[in-house]
Amino acid sequence: MKTLLKLTTSIFGENGASSRLADAFVTRWLAAHPGASVIARDLATDPVPHLTAEGFAGFTAQPGGLSPTQEVAVETSDALIDELKRADVLVLGLPMYNFGLPSTLKAYFDYVGRAGLTFRYTENGPEGLLTGKKAYVFATRGGVYAGGAGETETSYVRQFLSFLGITEIEFIYAEGLAMGDGPRASALESAERTIEQLTDPSRLAA
């Protein structure tokens, strides 16, 4: 039975464009995978605390010698990594705030990027350990940035997920959402058509 992990990050919750597109994808994906399970984590309403030096030190400390702060950091990291490991598919709602990704997502990345569990260093360089998964990223922006010099989200998210071993990544964009009703409607309709294509049962089965 397949498992999907849905991460949403919009400060507008379920009303955010990235959340709505992620939900639309998950609904259609579930229809094509009867019996599949979904793990949902909203990083906006239930944010991961920013990682501190003390918390980070807990990742490499001996279990018996952890401070209370380190115990919380390790427990949080372990739980998030367990969700990622269990998932066959990752769905990420990715709005753009001030030209970058939400800080809550960066905090999440800091907890799941953990040496020995999600990646390791070898004599040939880093090796991701979360292989065999596919990611769908729903990137929503008020302006138009894809392919331009001000677009840093795509490269960063792709690099980080690939670092963990998740190299099969689909980015679905809805841009120009703050540029008037016409551009907004057109962008969302285009993203929804892409969702229909991506969740076509014949394609998902491939």
Side-chain angles (χ1 to χ4, degrees), residues 135-146:
Y136 297 89
V137 182
F138 294 91
T140 56
R141 292 91 180 264
V144 177
Y145 298 94

Side-chain angles (χ1 to χ4, degrees), residues 2-202:
K2 287 185 175 293
T3 298
L4 181 150
L5 172 60
K6 183 186 71 169
L7 299 177
T8 50
T9 62
S10 173
I11 59 175
F12 302 107
E14 62 183 15
N15 294 319
S18 61
S19 299
R20 293 204 306 271
L21 291 174
D23 286 343
F25 177 90
V26 171
T27 297
R28 291 182 61 89
W29 184 88
L30 283 173
H33 295 89
S37 61
V38 174
I39 304 168
R41 181 171 288 275
D42 187 334
L43 295 174
T45 60
D46 187 19
V48 177
H50 289 288
L51 189 61
T52 65
E54 183 181 0
F56 179 77
F59 294 164
T60 56
Q62 294 298 318
L66 298 178
S67 70
T69 296
Q70 290 172 337
E71 288 180 352
V72 171
V74 171
E75 288 173 0
T76 299
S77 175
D78 286 347
L80 298 176
I81 290 172
D82 178 66
E83 290 177 350
L84 265 178
K85 287 183 174 180
R86 287 160 52 197
D88 303 290
V89 174
L90 171 65
V91 173
L92 173 60
L94 181 67
M96 177 184 281
Y97 296 143
N98 295 318
F99 309 105
L101 71 164
S103 63
T104 52
L105 180 59
K106 178 58 170 65
Y108 173 88
F109 283 166
D110 289 341
Y111 277 86
V112 300
R114 194 163 154 199
L117 295 180
T118 56
F119 73 92
R120 65 185 176 190
Y121 287 109
T122 73
E123 60 183 12
N124 297 318
E127 177 185 5
L129 301 178
L130 301 182
T131 56
K133 306 177 187 297
K134 181 154 188 174
Y136 297 89
V137 182
F138 294 91
T140 56
R141 292 91 180 264
V144 177
Y145 298 94
E151 216 287 56
T152 59
E153 279 188 320
T154 298
S155 59
Y156 175 76
V157 172
R158 185 184 297 280
Q159 181 179 12
F160 183 81
L161 294 180
S162 297
F163 184 76
L164 302 186
I166 305 173
T167 57
E168 194 174 355
I169 308 168
E170 291 268 7
F171 283 85
I172 301 91
Y173 298 94
E175 298 195 298
L177 300 183
M179 297 172 66
D181 293 342
R184 178 182 177 85
S186 178
L188 292 175
E189 288 172 4
S190 177
E192 289 163 1
R193 287 195 299 271
T194 301
I195 289 172
E196 292 177 2
Q197 295 169 0
L198 291 173
T199 54
D200 181 274
S202 63

